[in-house]
Amino acid sequence: MILTMRNALGMIEFKTVASGVTMLDHMLKTAAVEVIEAQTVCPGKYIALLRGDLSAVNAAIDAVVRAGSDRLIGTFVLGNPHEDIFPALYGSTKVGRVQALGILETYDAVSIIEAADLAAKTATVQLIELRVAKGMCGKSYLTLTGDVAAVEAAIDHARRFVSEKGMYLDSSVIAQPDAQVCARIL
């Protein structure tokens, strides 16, 4: 399947693998979307990340929501996701100097990507990494950099967003992190 516009990103997160795979199949039969990633993550949850035309991604995610599974943890649809999302997801971000380091942790996978998009669109920051529930017992985190004021604004805005969803775990901003810290995160 070839999509001419891939300006939207959508995601589902399920408590069980069986429900997640079943709903992924349902979404793919509902709308012309492309699977970017679909896998089991800790602790036995299932996530699927899709892209496509905004109307198609909305239709696919709406189909899952309408199905009304009690095993659904969360979903999102982002129209025009920030350009830093994909490099941060796949560990290919090229970062020069880290002026300030922002870190935000969540209890789920879905809200961390939404928070990263919001943070990157809030201030002039660069996303470094998005760790989505892999090896973290279902928790997720993001790291970003920029000047101190921008990082504080981005993390604060993302923290408030995640807190409203009840998925906030922790966050911090480190001004001029030590070189050894930077070496561990880059």
Side-chain angles (χ1 to χ4, degrees):
M1 164 186 5
I2 297 175
L3 300 174
T4 57
M5 295 178 62
R6 293 188 176 112
N7 63 341
L9 188 63
M11 185 173 181
I12 60 167
E13 181 176 9
F14 275 87
K15 294 176 188 174
T16 68
V17 175
S19 293
V21 173
T22 300
M23 287 297 112
L24 174 60
D25 182 68
H26 183 57
M27 290 188 303
L28 293 171
K29 290 174 179 173
T30 299
V33 292
E34 177 185 357
V35 178
I36 297 172
E37 191 168 322
Q39 64 183 312
T40 303
V41 295
C42 296
K45 299 188 302 183
Y46 192 82
I47 62 170
L49 193 59
L50 311 167
R51 71 177 166 192
D53 193 50
L54 182 59
S55 61
V57 173
N58 271 323
I61 298 297
D62 286 347
V64 168
V65 172
R66 279 192 312 274
S69 173
D70 63 344
R71 292 177 178 85
L72 177 64
I73 295 171
T75 68
F76 73 74
V77 174
L78 295 174
N80 297 315
H82 193 276
E83 64 193 23
D84 284 357
I85 294 286
F86 291 106
L89 273 171
Y90 297 110
S92 61
T93 301
K94 302 292 184 224
V95 178
R97 182 171 166 258
V98 177
Q99 296 171 311
L101 176 65
I103 308 160
L104 179 84
E105 292 179 73
T106 66
Y107 285 110
D108 68 335
V110 169
S111 66
I112 200 65
I113 297 175
E114 288 179 290
D117 186 64
L118 182 64
K121 290 176 178 175
T122 295
T124 305
V125 295
Q126 181 181 17
L127 296 175
I128 298 171
E129 182 180 9
L130 283 171
R131 177 75 54 95
V132 183
K134 296 173 189 165
M136 296 194 44
C137 294
K139 298 186 304 181
S140 299
Y141 73 87
L142 67 81
T143 54
L144 55 82
T145 189
D147 69 43
V148 176
V151 169
E152 286 175 342
I155 291 294
D156 185 56
H157 198 171
R159 178 192 52 76
R160 283 181 289 162
F161 169 79
V162 173
S163 293
E164 289 173 6
K165 297 182 118 204
M167 293 296 173
Y168 174 75
L169 178 59
D170 198 8
S171 62
S172 64
V173 174
I174 304 168
Q176 299 178 350
D178 187 274
Q180 293 182 69
V181 170
C182 293
R184 298 288 180 255
I185 61 154
L186 299 178

